[in-house]
Amino acid sequence: MYLEKITHSTYYLWLGIMILTGFFSCSEKPTSQKENKLPNIVLILTDDQGYNDLGVYGSPDILTPHLDQLAEDGMRFTNFYVAQAVCSASRAALLTGTYSNRLGIHGALDHMSNHGLNPDETTIAEMLKPLGYSTAIFGKWHLGHHQMFLPTNQGFDEFYGIPYSNDMWPNHPETKDYYPPLPLYENNKVVDTLHTDQSLLTTRLTERSVDFIDRNKDNPFFLYLAHPMPHVPLFVSEKFQGKSERGLYGDVIMEIDWSVGQVMDALKKHGIEENTLVIFISDNGPWLSYSAHSGSAEPLREGKGTSWDGGVKVPAIMRWTGKIPSGSIQENPAMSIDILPTIATITGASLPALSIDGKSIEKMISDSANKSPQEAYFIYYNRNELQAVVIDEWKLYFPHRYRSIASGQASRNDGIPLKYEMIDLQEMMLFHIPSDPSEQNNIIEKHPEVVTRILASAEKARQDMGDALTGVEGLNSRLPGRID
């Protein structure tokens, strides 16, 4: 009898242990799967948006509650650079993790360009495809309009948008006879042309983005929402007309902010916002010649088309719940070339076969105390001119020509640009960015050790990628793709 009780007791003890063990192993399994699930990537890019054009970056007269919330939930960069202050070059660097001058992509391609991003290069979309990601771009491509260069031949499953800038059409005030109507693409075919009106463009791209999220909620996806706005000509839908204290430009930014809110709502609706890395940046600074129709880079110097910080430093916000600390601010320099390798790190994707220039900044976004793994960031412009170098808190400029708004012109609010004048920077200049964000005080004579360090890095870049300012060819440049 006693023996029977022991046997039963032992049995029930064993059974209890098994049940508890089974329960906890079952309860842990979904958590483990959730942790191991590949993150979604949402990359939102605006066009010609100034550093000062968001509330969280100090705008006094444009309301951007959704982007401000994105920064509150994630990280805001105060020294985030793009590779070049012009459309095609900036986008090539962003999508390939490689300096665009190395790839032979300069300036802004148009409908007459017979070249584009070489199909041998690997985009973020192509890098993620082997992992099972669905990929889409809605908006502006600007890396070649011929069939071989279109997004659907560069790793994207879906494309809806325009092949180049929205001012490359007959209605632009200075080039009416040069451009045909602006084509609107669905994947690799032109499905419409924009003749006089772009007011629904932001809305349509947003609706496409939300639909893409709805259709891919159960599998990993890469969404690249590349807004053509606020590049001139400015257009806004009826729902945002006259809403901003900043006029038409502010209305456009408010609609982009609404678009960000729509994307975030779609992620939240499906319960996938915590497993999604959201990145928001601009492709370069504001096109200042359009005065009231352009953004603000305050307190930075100059704007688009220059290597001054107003041209190449952009607003940048990243959000990833649990991985990026809420409300954090990253003051150390980073660059758009680092986005591809960072995505590779967090997804486990293999880096491109061809060498890239970017490095993963995963540690920078997980802890704002961490610095970039890069030795330096090189600012090129025009046809392969090395115009500036950024190292830590320092930025050194080499002699070069740059454009600036000619004096004596009143601001305009009619979409007609002001005139530029060319200025010759005749000597090297060194600025300490944290204490002098407007780049006004040349302190090159006070820090010879910093100059020596930067010059050594610059010489490496020249030997590697070349430099038209010094006549150095460079050993490791690659060719863009070209049609016969």
Side-chain angles (χ1 to χ4, degrees):
M1 190 72 159
Y2 179 70
L3 210 51
E4 184 179 357
K5 287 182 180 179
I6 292 178
T7 303
H8 284 298
S9 298
T10 304
Y11 170 76
Y12 286 119
L13 177 62
W14 171 82
L15 182 62
I17 292 172
M18 291 299 292
I19 292 172
L20 286 172
T21 303
F23 172 80
F24 284 118
S25 64
C26 289
S27 66
E28 287 178 349
K29 192 172 183 181
T31 303
S32 176
Q33 288 174 344
K34 185 176 181 181
E35 289 174 354
N36 291 330
K37 184 180 178 183
L38 290 169
N40 307 305
I41 311 295
V42 175
L43 175 57
I44 303 174
L45 183 72
T46 56
D47 199 326
D48 292 2
Q49 183 173 6
Y51 184 82
N52 185 241
D53 290 339
L54 301 179
V56 73
Y57 278 88
S59 176
D61 50 14
I62 304 177
L63 298 177
T64 55
H66 299 292
L67 283 161
D68 295 351
Q69 186 64 50
L70 197 70
E72 187 175 327
D73 294 339
M75 174 176 284
R76 173 170 63 93
F77 286 75
T78 59
N79 286 288
F80 193 91
Y81 288 89
V82 293
Q84 290 199 37
V86 65
C87 299
S88 295
S90 178
R91 289 155 202 271
L94 169 66
L95 288 178
T96 66
T98 308
Y99 285 112
S100 45
N101 50 293
R102 184 190 296 283
L103 306 179
I105 301 294
H106 309 284
L109 309 184
D110 66 10
H111 69 294
M112 296 294 287
S113 299
N114 65 358
H115 66 288
L117 182 65
N118 196 316
D120 291 340
E121 305 295 339
T122 301
T123 66
I124 296 173
E126 288 174 304
M127 180 184 74
L128 294 175
K129 286 301 295 179
L131 299 182
Y133 276 76
S134 299
T135 59
I137 167 178
F138 303 120
K140 171 179 158 182
W141 174 238
H142 218 171
L143 291 174
H145 69 287
H146 294 283
Q147 285 291 320
M148 67 182 291
F149 305 130
L150 290 177
T152 47
N153 292 320
Q154 305 270 15
F156 289 94
D157 300 325
E158 301 178 31
F159 170 43
Y160 179 80
I162 57 178
Y164 32 71
S165 292
N166 69 322
D167 67 329
M168 295 177 174
W169 70 336
N171 302 308
H172 195 58
E174 294 185 318
T175 52
K176 289 182 178 178
D177 298 330
Y178 180 65
Y179 294 111
L182 184 64
L184 184 66
Y185 276 77
E186 178 90 52
N187 296 326
N188 62 349
K189 294 181 179 180
V190 176
V191 294
D192 199 357
T193 51
L194 303 176
H195 293 269
T196 59
D197 186 20
Q198 300 177 25
S199 59
L200 292 178
L201 200 49
T202 299
T203 296
R204 288 175 178 173
L205 299 177
T206 303
E207 291 171 348
R208 290 286 182 131
S209 298
V210 170
D211 176 66
F212 178 77
I213 293 171
D214 290 343
R215 289 185 284 110
N216 290 279
K217 62 184 184 297
D218 297 323
N219 56 271
F221 60 81
F222 170 48
L223 168 62
Y224 176 36
L225 173 52
H227 286 291
M229 302 290 168
H231 193 293
V232 293
L234 299 177
F235 284 90
V236 70
S237 69
E238 200 173 292
K239 59 183 174 292
F240 282 96
Q241 289 177 5
K243 298 295 185 182
S244 169
E245 296 179 10
R246 181 75 168 277
L248 178 57
Y249 184 87
D251 295 346
V252 169
I253 297 298
M254 287 184 67
E255 185 162 32
I256 289 173
D257 181 75
W258 163 83
S259 174
V260 172
Q262 294 293 298
V263 169
M264 295 307 300
D265 285 348
L267 296 173
K268 291 173 184 176
K269 179 178 72 173
H270 299 299
I272 55 177
E273 77 278 11
E274 293 189 359
N275 193 43
T276 302
L277 170 61
V278 180
I279 302 172
F280 177 92
I281 60 172
S282 175
D283 68 339
N284 47 245
W287 201 349
L288 296 179
S289 64
Y290 285 87
S291 43
H293 280 210
S294 73
S296 169
E298 293 293 335
L300 311 180
R301 184 170 176 176
E302 296 292 348
K304 173 182 178 174
T306 78
S307 293
W308 297 101
D309 266 10
V312 291
K313 185 182 290 186
V314 298
I317 301 171
M318 299 187 190
R319 178 194 187 275
W320 190 12
T321 305
K323 303 294 194 304
I324 298 177
S326 299
S328 53
I329 299 175
Q330 178 54 268
E331 298 178 346
N332 295 302
M335 186 180 272
S336 54
I337 58 172
D338 298 325
I339 288 179
L340 180 146
T342 302
I343 292 174
T345 297
I346 66 176
T347 61
S350 298
L351 288 173
L354 296 175
S355 63
I356 66 171
D357 298 301
K359 294 186 178 181
S360 174
I361 56 170
E362 181 198 19
K363 292 182 178 179
M364 288 186 75
I365 64 177
S366 62
D367 185 347
S368 59
N370 290 325
K371 292 185 176 182
S372 168
Q374 297 276 13
E375 175 185 314
Y377 289 109
F378 304 105
I379 311 297
Y380 279 81
Y381 195 62
N382 292 331
R383 301 279 309 176
N384 215 37
E385 295 181 1
L386 178 57
Q387 297 187 352
V389 180
V390 175
I391 290 186
D392 296 332
E393 301 177 337
W394 307 93
K395 190 174 181 184
L396 180 73
Y397 289 87
F398 299 107
H400 67 275
R401 298 193 83 200
Y402 68 94
R403 70 188 190 186
S404 187
I405 303 299
S407 59
Q409 301 178 89
S411 177
R412 304 182 66 117
N413 194 27
D414 55 4
I416 304 296
L418 303 178
K419 301 299 182 184
Y420 282 112
E421 63 180 353
M422 299 306 297
I423 297 177
D424 288 310
L425 184 67
Q426 297 182 342
E427 59 180 356
M428 287 196 304
M429 302 181 79
L430 178 70
F431 299 97
H432 182 248
I433 299 303
S435 62
D436 184 21
S438 301
E439 300 176 293
Q440 296 297 314
N441 303 309
N442 181 15
I443 52 176
I444 193 167
E445 294 182 357
K446 296 181 180 179
H447 298 278
E449 75 289 349
V450 174
V451 176
T452 299
R453 177 186 171 198
I454 296 178
L455 289 177
S457 292
E459 190 55 33
K460 291 180 185 176
R462 291 188 181 106
Q463 296 303 316
D464 182 21
M465 294 182 284
D467 175 22
L469 291 174
T470 56
V472 178
E473 289 289 335
L475 300 174
N476 298 305
S477 295
R478 306 199 284 263
L479 296 173
R482 291 192 179 276
I483 61 169
D484 293 334

